[in-house]
């Protein structure tokens, strides 16, 4: 299917980084973030308004964990496909660390590597040192709080990134979906958008779940096992 496809893109989620030691959100078991923590307290504008220090401390804990991990074979196999666009829900930079060009990685849910001003009218952004992330502090430009540059529940996706991803998904021959529960919208809707426009869908996930139900082919396995074997010898292109 991939060989016969002129235009391919990847749509990934937390499962892509799982084998690097990054916790997913909804896997069964005690390690998944949303079974240990309340997303409305830690990943929403309301949670930030209620206790901004708690929110920043939690993201700084996640940053510390990310500072200690490396890209896994799945990141490397994807990054080696240099003409492929990687649409990801992940806020880590493991695809880029594996060699993917930053302009070919579309971060739908933002980036934990940066802080931005919480004031929508201010565009101040700062890069954060994952090993030594700063505590809650005011924006030097406008005085509002700085916050992780990620998308929270109830917030809109970055519009330019979303438009590019949506437009690409309308033109594909195959969408390769890796490690996502496909339950968080609008991101998960990209699979439906691609299918409706005639794309095939290949899913790589040990528990293909919702995405598997939308797939022409579901490969039930860990991304770090499946992707290097699947992509070896291929030269995939997103055509843009
Ligand atoms: P989830 O935690 O919802 O789903 C993780 C998926 O990865 C599941 O389908 C697992 O079966 C799969 N998985 C686990 N290990 C894997 C492996 N080794 N290889 C391949 N797949 C594996 O994560 P997402 O779908 O990314 O949003 O979650 C979507 C959004 O929900 C996240 O971006 C985040 C979260 O709330 C925000 O923070 C806004």
């Amino acid at each position: 299917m991939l060989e016969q496809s002129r235009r391919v893109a990847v749509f990934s989620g937390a499962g892509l980084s799982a084998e690097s030691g990054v916790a997913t959100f909804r896997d069964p078991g005690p390690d998944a973030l949303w079974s240990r923590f309340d997303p409305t307290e830690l990943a929403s504008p309301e949670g930030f308004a209620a206790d901004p220090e708690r929110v920043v401390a939690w993201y700084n804990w996640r940053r510390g964990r990310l500072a200690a991990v490396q890209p896994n074979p799945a990141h490397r196999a994807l990054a080696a496909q240099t003409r492929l666009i990687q649409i990801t829900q992940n806020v880590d930079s493991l695809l880029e660390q594996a060699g993917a060009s930053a302009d070919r990685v579309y971060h739908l849910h933002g980036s934990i590597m940066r802080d931005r001003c919480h004031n929508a009218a201010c565009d101040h952004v700062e890069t954060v040192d994952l090993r030594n992330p700063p505590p809650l502090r005011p924006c030097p430009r406008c005085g509002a709080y700085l916050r992780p540059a990620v998308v929270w529940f109830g917030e809109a996706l970055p519009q330019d990134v979303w438009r590019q991803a949506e437009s690409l998904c309308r033109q594909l021959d195959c969408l390769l979906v890796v490690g996502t529960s496909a339950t968080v919208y609008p991101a998960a809707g990209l699979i439906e958008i691609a299918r409706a426009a005639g794309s095939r869908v290949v899913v790589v996930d040990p528990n293909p779940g919702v995405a598997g139900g939308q797939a022409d082919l579901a490969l039930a396995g860990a991304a770090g096992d499946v992707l290097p074997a699947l992509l070896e010898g291929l030269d995939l292109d997103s055509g843009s």
Side-chain angles (χ1 to χ4, degrees):
M1 256 182 228
L2 290 167
E3 260 170 3
Q4 289 161 9
S5 297
R6 216 168 34 85
R7 301 191 79 173
V8 180
V10 181
F11 174 53
S12 61
L16 172 61
S17 298
E19 288 155 87
S20 293
V22 182
T24 65
F25 296 94
R26 299 176 185 77
D27 270 81
D31 290 340
L33 291 176
W34 295 155
S35 47
R36 299 161 67 192
F37 303 104
D38 180 351
T40 54
E41 280 181 6
L42 297 167
S44 76
E46 296 75 21
F48 188 64
D51 193 341
E53 270 169 347
R54 175 175 60 192
V55 171
V56 167
W58 186 69
Y59 278 93
N60 284 351
W61 167 75
R62 284 179 61 194
R63 284 166 164 159
R65 313 241 337 189
L66 274 175
V69 307
Q70 299 296 326
N72 68 53
H75 295 111
R76 287 196 287 274
L78 291 175
Q81 301 288 326
T82 54
R83 294 191 292 164
L84 209 51
I85 288 180
Q86 320 273 345
I87 305 168
T88 188
Q89 298 162 92
N90 296 349
V91 296
D92 65 50
S93 62
L94 291 168
L95 279 166
E96 292 91 334
Q97 287 175 52
S101 160
D103 63 356
R104 299 191 86 72
V105 185
Y106 294 179
H107 284 279
L108 291 177
H109 290 164
S111 167
I112 202 169
M113 322 300 287
R114 291 190 292 278
D115 274 340
R116 70 169 173 85
C117 185
H118 190 48
N119 170 8
C122 177
D123 55 10
H124 184 74
V125 177
E126 291 183 9
T127 301
V128 166
D129 176 1
L130 291 187
R131 287 195 167 72
N132 191 20
L136 181 69
R137 65 207 188 284
C139 173
R141 203 172 296 173
C142 78
Y145 282 134
L146 297 182
R147 51 161 282 184
V150 301
V151 176
W152 285 332
F153 289 102
E155 292 185 323
L157 304 193
Q159 279 311 293
D160 50 342
V161 181
W162 171 251
R163 265 196 296 270
Q164 281 177 294
E166 194 187 15
S167 147
L168 176 63
C169 285
R170 290 189 197 287
Q171 302 168 45
L172 295 176
D173 300 305
C174 189
L175 180 65
L176 180 57
V177 178
V178 181
T180 177
S181 61
T183 50
V184 175
Y185 282 78
L190 289 176
I191 302 173
E192 289 144 44
I193 288 168
R195 274 175 63 86
S199 175
R200 286 179 156 162
V201 173
V202 174
V203 169
V204 176
D205 194 309
N207 178 18
V210 174
Q214 299 169 293
D216 295 280
L217 177 68
L219 300 170
D225 292 333
V226 175
L227 287 179
L230 182 67
L231 301 182
E232 198 188 346
L234 295 181
D235 183 13
L236 302 176
D237 194 348
S238 295
S240 60

